[in-house]
Amino acid sequence: MEKIQLLEECKEAENIVISGHIRPDGDCIGSCMAMYLYLQKALPQAKIKVCLEQPADIFGCIKDIDKIDSTFTVEGEIDVFIALDCEKSRLGSAEELFASAGKRINIDHHVSNERGCGDVNYVIPGISSTSELVYDLIEKRYMDEEIAKAIYIGIVHDTGIFKYSNTSPKTLRIAAELIEYGFDFPTIIDETFYEKTYTQNQLLGRALLESIMFMNGKCIVSVINKKTLDFYNAKTEDLEGIVNQLRIIKGVECAIFMYETGNLEYKVSLRSCKYVDVSKVAAYFGGGGHVRAAGCSMNGTFYDVINNISGQIELQMKEYKEKD
Ligand code: 5GP
Ligand code: MN
């Protein structure tokens, strides 16, 4: 997909709204805020707003994060809507705003959104992060330390600090250019990625303790139910990272982490190491994501969900074995 001329696309807009997916993660927040800070500078005459669910406190170091509107109310006609890091169905409360906008721009890296859902699209699957794509589109004369920091946070989060297979030489070159702006990157990594609250560690501990291996140790699953979430007064962001810890258990190809969102309703996170395409598994159940990291929502008991998912994983494992 060809690069888009972002400023050209926005130059006549008076009212611009930027948004990303529900339960926003580091890449979603980083790319939205980098886009916001950039457009504020490049298009000073326009009214620009980020509409997003409340970001986790750890992202407090991003400039103007407190300007995010989580009420999703926009006055007047929206001339340009920029949907970042997702397709329109994952915009949540912003989906209506997207539908009403004069022009829709979609920038994303999810393979499950290959064609893009906007009038103007820049979707490159396989790229580390939407933040990397935003970096590509920014006119460098507007770049500054705060924009660089937001992009860096996005890249760091979606690459698991430059260690997932979506990290390319170009990703690292961009990261090198970003840290030249002088922000305190080791502290950012510690505070937004590694540091966990006591509650988060307790939940991680429980999830590991109660995890179940199956398919001869090639798969692992763990679940946290509503009762436990309520007991710890936990937010969903407190569960971030659990599935990654399950994935790196020796011998595991595919890790599944799920938490109960309602009666017989689960949010499922999938990760793989080498050959299972979890974006296909998630897409089969109405979700999506990337080849090595994907997710979906499912209904049924824990056993229903795990039976259904493992069926799809097993099909891929069989295919892989046959090819071998
Ligand atoms: P996570 O497991 O961390 O929630 O998500 C992993 C990846 O899959 C992320 O890139 C996320 O955007 C995507 N993803 C998670 N859940 C869904 C879903 O329900 N639908 C779609 N399309 N993508 C999802
Ligand atoms: Mn992303």
Side-chain angles (χ1 to χ4, degrees):
M1 202 176 282
E2 256 178 63
K3 213 154 155 175
I4 58 173
Q5 297 303 318
L6 189 61
L7 293 187
E8 189 61 31
E9 296 291 350
C10 297
K11 70 176 184 213
E12 273 150 30
E14 285 171 19
N15 202 3
I16 301 175
V17 173
I18 300 163
S19 189
H21 56 79
I22 50 169
R23 292 186 282 264
D25 57 9
D27 183 32
C28 177
I29 293 162
S31 59
C32 285
M33 290 311 297
M35 180 64 80
Y36 173 78
L37 295 170
Y38 169 60
L39 292 183
Q40 287 276 11
K41 272 176 96 175
L43 303 170
Q45 75 288 356
K47 207 170 93 200
I48 304 162
K49 192 172 193 179
V50 182
C51 289
L52 211 55
E53 286 176 10
Q54 195 56 38
D57 296 343
I58 50 170
F59 297 110
C61 60
I62 299 176
K63 186 183 174 195
D64 286 347
I65 193 104
D66 54 328
K67 303 240 171 83
I68 288 179
D69 179 344
S70 299
T71 67
F72 297 88
T73 42
V74 177
E75 275 169 36
E77 300 268 299
I78 301 169
D79 302 310
V80 173
F81 186 106
I82 306 178
L84 293 168
D85 201 34
C86 66
E87 58 197 291
K88 65 178 179 193
S89 65
R90 295 192 72 225
L91 284 168
S93 305
E95 196 175 340
E96 272 177 39
L97 303 175
F98 177 89
S100 74
K103 184 192 280 183
R104 292 159 292 197
I105 300 176
N106 187 204
I107 302 168
D108 190 13
H109 68 134
H110 286 91
V111 63
S112 46
N113 181 29
E114 209 156 7
R115 286 207 202 124
C117 61
D119 308 304
V120 177
N121 298 294
Y122 187 47
V123 181
I124 316 281
I127 293 284
S128 73
S129 53
T130 300
S131 298
E132 185 174 330
L133 294 177
V134 169
Y135 176 88
D136 274 345
L137 296 178
I138 282 181
E139 280 189 24
K140 299 301 170 283
R141 65 198 156 110
Y142 293 107
M143 196 70 177
D144 61 26
E145 182 178 339
E146 297 300 336
I147 300 173
K149 193 206 281 179
I151 294 174
Y152 187 82
I153 288 175
I155 294 177
V156 156
H157 277 254
D158 257 23
T159 58
I161 316 180
F162 311 112
K163 66 181 154 38
Y164 301 153
S165 55
N166 58 0
T167 308
S168 70
K170 187 176 168 214
T171 313
L172 293 169
R173 277 186 211 112
I174 291 173
E177 276 169 37
L178 293 173
I179 64 170
E180 297 238 31
Y181 286 89
F183 54 84
D184 181 2
F185 71 88
T187 302
I188 286 174
I189 290 177
D190 275 349
E191 289 181 355
T192 74
F193 198 85
Y194 285 120
E195 205 173 274
K196 300 275 177 218
T197 61
Y198 182 62
T199 296
Q200 287 166 339
N201 277 306
Q202 294 259 301
L203 288 162
L204 170 66
R206 282 191 73 140
L208 295 177
L209 208 61
E210 290 165 15
S211 63
I212 304 164
M213 294 260 226
F214 59 104
M215 287 188 203
N216 282 329
K218 287 202 198 69
C219 286
I220 188 160
V221 63
S222 193
V223 61
I224 292 205
N225 59 30
K226 193 117 203 339
K227 223 167 104 189
T228 309
L229 286 174
D230 291 344
F231 175 80
Y232 288 101
N233 200 10
K235 296 190 216 138
T236 57
E237 67 211 41
D238 292 326
L239 306 170
E240 193 89 24
I242 293 179
V243 70
N244 298 319
Q245 198 60 39
L246 292 168
R247 180 188 73 92
I248 55 172
I249 291 172
K250 198 169 165 63
V252 165
E253 166 59 20
C254 205
I256 304 156
F257 173 70
M258 46 203 266
Y259 64 89
E260 208 179 352
T261 47
N263 190 26
L264 297 178
E265 207 182 84
Y266 291 90
K267 177 79 190 97
V268 181
S269 281
L270 300 161
R271 298 291 185 272
S272 65
C273 290
K274 292 201 174 77
Y275 56 89
V276 172
D277 181 346
V278 287
S279 76
K280 280 192 189 151
V281 178
Y284 186 84
F285 298 107
H290 311 287
V291 177
R292 300 276 168 262
C296 55
S297 296
M298 289 180 70
N299 296 311
T301 64
F302 167 72
Y303 294 100
D304 293 335
V305 171
I306 202 59
N307 272 335
N308 287 329
I309 289 184
S310 57
Q312 288 304 306
I313 293 172
E314 208 165 10
L315 282 177
Q316 284 198 38
M317 286 191 165
K318 256 192 207 147
E319 238 174 68
Y320 178 80
K321 238 185 176 169
E322 278 161 14
K323 267 195 247 153
D324 224 17

